[in-house]
Amino acid sequence: MTKRQGRLHLNAFLMSVGHHEAAWRLPSADPFANTDIAYFQNLARIAERGKLDSLFLADSPVLWGEIGRRPSGALEPTLLLTALATATSHIGLIATASTSYNEPYNLARRFASLDHISGGRAGWNIVTTAGADAARNFNLDDLPAHRHRYERAAEFVDVSIKLWDSWDDEAPIGDKDAGVWGDTDKIYPAAHRGEFFQVAGALNVPRPPQGHPLLVQAGSSEDGKDLAARYAEAVFTAHQTLDDARAFYTDLKERTRQAGRDPEGIKILPGIVPAIGSTEAEALALEEELDRLINPEYARKQLATLLDVDPEDLPLDRQLPDDLPDEDAVEGAKSRYTLVVNLARREKLTVRRLIGRLGGGRGHRTFAGTPEQVADAIEHWWQSGAADGFNIMPPVLPSGLEVFVDQVVPILQRRGLFRTEYEGTTLRDHYGLTRPANRNPQLAAL
Amino acid sequence: MTKRQGRLHLNAFLMSVGHHEAAWRLPSADPFANTDIAYFQNLARIAERGKLDSLFLADSPVLWGEIGRRPSGALEPTLLLTALATATSHIGLIATASTSYNEPYNLARRFASLDHISGGRAGWNIVTTAGADAARNFNLDDLPAHRHRYERAAEFVDVSIKLWDSWDDEAPIGDKDAGVWGDTDKIYPAAHRGEFFQVAGALNVPRPPQGHPLLVQAGSSEDGKDLAARYAEAVFTAHQTLDDARAFYTDLKERTRQAGRDPEGIKILPGIVPAIGSTEAEALALEEELDRLINPEYARKQLATLLDVDPEDLPLDRQLPDDLPDEDAVEGAKSRYTLVVNLARREKLTVRRLIGRLGGGRGHRTFAGTPEQVADAIEHWWQSGAADGFNIMPPVLPSGLEVFVDQVVPILQRRGLFRTEYEGTTLRDHYGLTRPANRNPQLAAL
């Protein structure tokens, strides 16, 4: 095999005290870090010290029923990232926001504002939000159908692009002598009338420094992959095996080509949950300590919700029942459902062991090893055409991010696989993506 | 008259390069300050140096048709204030947000997040948003009726309070040994089913440090005053004369009493646009220089829109026509309409002179004088029972805020009218307002 040229990309997926659900119970953890802005600013500075491409925050507009078990509640991501923007200078800032429970004018404006505030470092992880609980916080009785949510999402992104492009880059003039601040001929109202939205005017923020904030997508259902192929510039995904990851990578690059886009314009980043130790035994001991701290009864309830079965139907020391529904019948997070069922079946896991695996990475690939072994694992998938980079999900924070940045990143740098300094200033620069031209139809007609 | 006891309150109303619409044309102005976060952080630090109670940002989700004439576009206020929170430690942070074009779950969460991020310094200026242009950015063909907007606003605030109160202050526990992070019995889902909103769940952010962010209101129509009497803890208002201000003050305190609240629990802050010079002549010269820089044709169009007449019907050197509509027939910003018409009639202003007055303060009281004269004007209204404090609207920024903080504030401090140090840490502390108890009905039933 020819050695792959170029460099890989690294994103830090932040989650209060870590991705392992029991991380907050470790002696060193601050259980209330989830609302502590200084704590998150410290995480952001650590990631920037490692020259990582970006930070990422997941989100859903609902209080998950887990307050008994783990830190609950989260600062709203566009505000939290604004606070992180003021504490950093280069690292990209990606926030999750729902197309089902926002209005395009408001959300496009917030991302444009974040892009201005951060000097071109904003990214939007576009989600349609699974779960009836979230729908019930927004005047609905139940979750809209999967297909309906994705159709709304596509139109939402179309409107957002029209709004970001509603100012020409040259619209602001600032001619004091003439008393003319802006060129009114270079403002292009959205004039959108679609199935889900009517948006008449121009955005009330100038075009963002990046043109459009980076568009990110993380759903891996058929609808999700199609949405990604049309719009996404980076994709977060979850795979347990190299074969699955490579199949996904090949499929999504091909869909992107078929959507008329350059496959280089979409960067695919599988998640990895690295438990790092100075020896492999030390790394495994950390993983075991964490798994021991999981409360199995709570976790079983959560698994039962995902699988849409009764918790009683999931005895802890048996494998999953045979008669689970098909992915097609699931209206929630389809791709996650399939991933969990396949993981359990492939490795013949009991419910108890499945819970341990999910508690560590929620379906993402967990990996315990030395810094060298983690670097090898990353390089192997990247060299094998399964990834353009990785979504780093430390099981314990801040320590897991510190050890990744201080011990794994230098190995990747020595191997020439990762930057040693930021070469640009925007999130698009870091991912090697161009600034989009203004797609306003009035311009195209010229 | 007995001398009034206590201290007055001061809010800095920030508006890029100043409240005078021609301020951006001064040689010292940065015409692109409206999207410059470092510029706003500097303003915030100046205001905090003056120990002011709070900062305030106006907003509307629409691009006003003024891009030709003056700096247009604004960073979204809750994000901008988040960035200012990280640059300051004490000053309160008040953002305008619309109840007509947001969902309670999202907006309550953003204000709760800002309150957590700032350590209890968030305030929400509740507006219903006038103007058909804004409606057309949110799937509507025209502005909802005034009364309808205010009914929705009241329900919106009710839902927001339910959401902030959906976590008991004692809900987070963080018991690592027991593996119990929070007390599920201390989470109270909103369970709201009203005319405008259905919101089932609890908020996904713990109760804010202030209990509720400070609730602020600025509409002075009948509906607006009733909303303020029910909910507001601070009110921004615009009056040209002491008599008008005193009548408003007395009326609103009485309405607040009738709504079953302590009138001390609502602080009334009229706006003042102070042009400050080391002599009165210097102050007047600044005011004249600014008025000369206004483009009268643009301003006439804006006035015509407010009055709902054709610009041709407003000859620059005549007074307003006699046959203008009644306030009751106006669906937009009713109180502003009446204020402008009354100002023009009372002072028999030509359209040209009216435009100069509005360009300086948009209906707020303009005042040119020395620091001593400005301090006298402030003390006089406060002593006369027309105000609990003032909304300071410098015609030119940052210079107008600097001179206010460095030259007017020390005079007020010497007179014992204003604090010399912050005595508390939250916005409520600064205004002398208590932290609200949790009003959750489940608690009331105990």
Side-chain angles (χ1 to χ4, degrees):
Chain A
M1 199 173 76
T2 336
K3 225 168 143 89
R4 182 172 176 179
Q5 298 299 307
R7 286 179 177 162
L8 55 80
H9 300 280
L10 295 173
N11 173 77
F13 183 170
L14 303 187
M15 182 165 288
S16 65
V17 290
H19 284 269
H20 195 286
E21 64 164 68
W24 72 274
R25 297 183 66 187
L26 292 172
S28 60
D30 172 5
F32 305 118
N34 55 323
T35 51
D36 182 347
I37 200 70
Y39 173 86
F40 278 96
Q41 288 181 325
N42 180 46
L43 291 182
R45 291 193 187 102
I46 294 167
E48 187 162 271
R49 185 172 88 212
K51 317 296 177 196
L52 266 55
D53 295 69
S54 49
L55 301 174
F56 165 61
L57 296 169
D59 198 56
S60 189
V62 67
L63 179 65
W64 296 109
E66 301 185 10
I67 172 173
R69 185 166 61 130
R70 58 183 294 187
S72 295
L75 300 170
E76 195 283 328
T78 61
L79 269 71
L80 176 49
L81 290 187
T82 297
L84 302 190
T86 66
T88 55
S89 60
H90 282 77
I91 196 162
L93 306 160
I94 301 172
T96 298
S98 173
T99 54
S100 298
Y101 307 119
N102 279 290
E103 285 291 329
Y105 199 92
N106 290 335
L107 195 64
R109 184 181 183 205
R110 293 224 306 285
F111 278 105
S113 297
L114 180 60
D115 210 46
H116 281 286
I117 290 170
S118 64
R121 298 189 280 142
W124 171 24
N125 177 38
I126 304 159
V127 298
T128 67
T129 310
D133 282 358
R136 293 188 190 117
N137 289 335
F138 294 90
N139 311 320
L140 300 174
D141 290 321
D142 206 349
L143 180 65
H146 197 269
R147 173 57 57 92
H148 173 100
R149 296 204 315 272
Y150 277 86
E151 286 171 356
R152 179 178 160 118
E155 189 180 324
F156 196 116
V157 178
D158 286 338
V159 179
S160 299
I161 290 172
K162 287 180 187 176
L163 287 167
W164 294 319
D165 287 348
S166 65
W167 288 58
D168 193 281
D169 288 319
E170 309 298 324
I173 299 169
D175 184 338
K176 292 181 183 181
D177 291 340
V180 176
W181 187 82
D183 183 346
T184 51
D185 291 341
K186 292 187 171 163
I187 295 291
Y188 320 116
H192 179 89
R193 293 184 82 89
E195 188 185 340
F196 296 90
F197 304 108
Q198 284 183 36
V199 180
L203 200 60
N204 54 353
V205 186
R207 194 160 191 258
Q210 292 188 104
H212 312 158
L214 191 78
L215 298 181
V216 180
Q217 215 275 337
S220 300
S221 66
E222 291 302 305
D223 292 330
K225 282 187 281 196
D226 286 340
L227 187 74
R230 279 176 69 184
Y231 299 103
E233 299 166 298
V235 169
F236 297 137
T237 179
H239 305 291
Q240 293 284 335
T241 70
L242 177 60
D243 284 348
D244 282 353
R246 200 155 37 187
F248 178 89
Y249 184 96
T250 308
D251 177 40
L252 187 51
K253 293 276 177 170
E254 180 53 30
R255 287 182 200 234
T256 302
R257 194 190 322 271
Q258 283 173 12
R261 298 174 55 207
D262 178 359
E264 289 293 311
I266 186 168
K267 306 299 181 188
I268 300 174
L269 292 86
I272 181 169
V273 182
I276 306 171
S278 55
T279 62
E280 193 176 335
E282 195 181 303
L284 287 168
L286 169 63
E287 207 168 50
E288 277 162 28
E289 181 184 5
L290 286 165
D291 286 352
R292 257 200 321 276
L293 292 171
I294 295 178
N295 177 329
E297 281 310 319
Y298 273 110
R300 187 168 71 151
K301 266 192 239 170
Q302 186 186 34
L303 181 63
T305 302
L306 175 72
L307 301 178
D308 199 17
V309 299
D310 195 283
E312 302 298 310
D313 295 340
L314 300 174
L316 283 170
D317 294 308
R318 296 233 194 124
Q319 294 185 33
L320 292 185
D322 290 330
D323 55 345
L324 293 173
D326 246 29
E327 174 177 318
D328 290 343
V330 175
E331 278 299 339
K334 280 180 191 283
S335 56
R336 184 165 148 64
Y337 172 86
T338 303
L339 184 146
V340 168
V341 174
N342 286 352
L343 167 66
R345 302 247 196 267
R346 185 177 60 246
E347 304 194 15
K348 302 197 195 331
L349 301 176
T350 62
V351 167
R352 194 186 296 276
R353 291 187 56 212
L354 178 61
I355 283 169
R357 291 287 288 275
L358 297 178
R362 288 165 297 119
H364 288 267
R365 176 188 182 202
T366 56
F367 186 92
T370 64
E372 200 79 23
Q373 288 172 319
V374 172
D376 289 348
I378 285 175
E379 179 169 7
H380 181 219
W381 278 32
W382 184 75
Q383 287 287 1
S384 306
D388 296 310
F390 293 86
N391 189 17
I392 307 302
M393 302 169 60
V396 182
L397 287 168
S399 62
L401 184 61
E402 281 176 321
V403 69
F404 185 86
V405 157
D406 295 334
Q407 298 185 34
V408 180
V409 166
I411 298 170
L412 297 172
Q413 288 170 330
R414 278 198 298 275
R415 296 182 188 175
L417 296 172
F418 194 62
R419 70 175 68 81
T420 53
E421 286 301 335
Y422 289 108
E423 285 150 20
T425 60
T426 71
L427 175 53
R428 288 182 176 280
D429 289 340
H430 307 333
Y431 280 100
L433 296 164
T434 53
R435 184 175 190 270
N438 195 317
R439 300 185 203 164
N440 186 275
Q442 291 170 258
L443 284 174
L446 293 180
Chain B
M1 201 173 77
T2 337
K3 227 168 143 89
R4 182 173 176 180
Q5 297 300 306
R7 285 177 178 164
L8 55 79
H9 301 280
L10 295 172
N11 173 77
F13 183 170
L14 304 186
M15 182 164 288
S16 65
V17 289
H19 284 270
H20 194 288
E21 64 164 67
W24 71 274
R25 297 183 67 188
L26 291 173
S28 60
D30 172 5
F32 305 119
N34 55 322
T35 50
D36 181 346
I37 199 71
Y39 172 86
F40 278 96
Q41 289 182 324
N42 180 47
L43 291 182
R45 290 191 187 104
I46 294 167
E48 187 162 271
R49 186 171 87 211
K51 317 295 177 198
L52 268 54
D53 295 69
S54 49
L55 300 175
F56 165 60
L57 295 170
D59 197 55
S60 188
V62 66
L63 179 65
W64 296 109
E66 301 186 9
I67 172 173
R69 184 165 62 129
R70 58 183 294 188
S72 296
L75 301 170
E76 196 281 329
T78 60
L79 269 71
L80 176 49
L81 289 187
T82 298
L84 302 191
T86 65
T88 55
S89 60
H90 282 77
I91 196 162
L93 307 160
I94 302 171
T96 298
S98 173
T99 54
S100 297
Y101 307 120
N102 280 290
E103 285 292 329
Y105 199 92
N106 291 334
L107 195 64
R109 185 182 183 205
R110 294 226 303 286
F111 278 105
S113 297
L114 180 60
D115 209 47
H116 281 287
I117 291 170
S118 63
R121 297 189 281 143
W124 171 25
N125 177 39
I126 305 158
V127 297
T128 67
T129 309
D133 282 358
R136 292 188 190 116
N137 290 335
F138 293 90
N139 311 319
L140 300 174
D141 290 321
D142 205 349
L143 181 65
H146 197 269
R147 174 56 57 92
H148 173 100
R149 297 205 313 273
Y150 276 87
E151 286 171 355
R152 178 176 160 119
E155 190 179 325
F156 197 116
V157 178
D158 286 338
V159 179
S160 300
I161 290 172
K162 287 180 187 175
L163 288 166
W164 294 319
D165 287 349
S166 65
W167 288 58
D168 193 281
D169 288 318
E170 310 298 323
I173 299 168
D175 184 337
K176 292 180 182 181
D177 291 340
V180 176
W181 187 82
D183 182 346
T184 51
D185 291 340
K186 291 188 171 163
I187 295 289
Y188 319 117
H192 179 88
R193 295 185 83 91
E195 188 184 342
F196 296 89
F197 304 108
Q198 284 184 35
V199 180
L203 199 60
N204 55 352
V205 186
R207 194 161 191 257
Q210 292 188 104
H212 313 157
L214 191 77
L215 298 181
V216 181
Q217 214 275 337
S220 298
S221 67
E222 292 302 305
D223 292 330
K225 282 186 283 196
D226 286 340
L227 187 74
R230 279 177 68 186
Y231 299 104
E233 299 166 297
V235 169
F236 296 137
T237 178
H239 304 291
Q240 293 284 334
T241 69
L242 176 60
D243 283 349
D244 282 354
R246 199 155 38 187
F248 178 90
Y249 185 95
T250 308
D251 177 40
L252 188 51
K253 293 277 177 170
E254 180 54 30
R255 286 182 201 233
T256 303
R257 194 189 322 272
Q258 283 173 15
R261 296 174 57 207
D262 178 359
E264 290 293 310
I266 185 168
K267 306 298 180 189
I268 300 174
L269 292 87
I272 181 168
V273 183
I276 306 171
S278 56
T279 63
E280 193 175 335
E282 194 181 303
L284 288 167
L286 170 63
E287 207 168 48
E288 277 161 29
E289 181 184 5
L290 286 165
D291 287 352
R292 256 200 323 275
L293 292 171
I294 295 179
N295 177 329
E297 281 311 319
Y298 273 110
R300 187 167 72 151
K301 266 191 241 169
Q302 186 186 35
L303 181 62
T305 302
L306 175 72
L307 301 178
D308 200 17
V309 299
D310 195 284
E312 301 298 310
D313 296 339
L314 300 174
L316 282 170
D317 294 308
R318 296 231 195 125
Q319 294 185 33
L320 292 184
D322 290 330
D323 55 345
L324 294 172
D326 246 30
E327 174 177 318
D328 289 344
V330 176
E331 278 298 339
K334 281 180 190 282
S335 56
R336 184 164 148 67
Y337 172 87
T338 302
L339 185 148
V340 168
V341 174
N342 286 353
L343 168 65
R345 301 249 196 266
R346 186 178 59 246
E347 303 193 15
K348 301 197 193 334
L349 301 177
T350 61
V351 167
R352 192 185 297 275
R353 291 187 56 212
L354 179 61
I355 283 169
R357 290 287 288 275
L358 298 179
R362 288 165 297 121
H364 287 267
R365 177 187 181 203
T366 56
F367 186 93
T370 63
E372 199 79 23
Q373 287 172 319
V374 173
D376 288 348
I378 284 174
E379 179 169 5
H380 181 218
W381 279 33
W382 184 75
Q383 287 288 0
S384 306
D388 296 311
F390 293 85
N391 189 17
I392 309 300
M393 303 168 61
V396 182
L397 288 168
S399 61
L401 184 62
E402 281 177 320
V403 67
F404 186 87
V405 158
D406 294 335
Q407 298 185 32
V408 180
V409 165
I411 297 170
L412 296 172
Q413 289 170 330
R414 278 198 298 275
R415 296 182 188 176
L417 297 172
F418 194 62
R419 71 175 67 83
T420 53
E421 287 300 336
Y422 289 109
E423 285 151 19
T425 59
T426 71
L427 175 52
R428 289 181 177 279
D429 289 340
H430 306 334
Y431 280 101
L433 296 164
T434 53
R435 185 174 190 270
N438 195 317
R439 300 184 203 163
N440 185 276
Q442 291 171 257
L443 283 175
L446 293 179

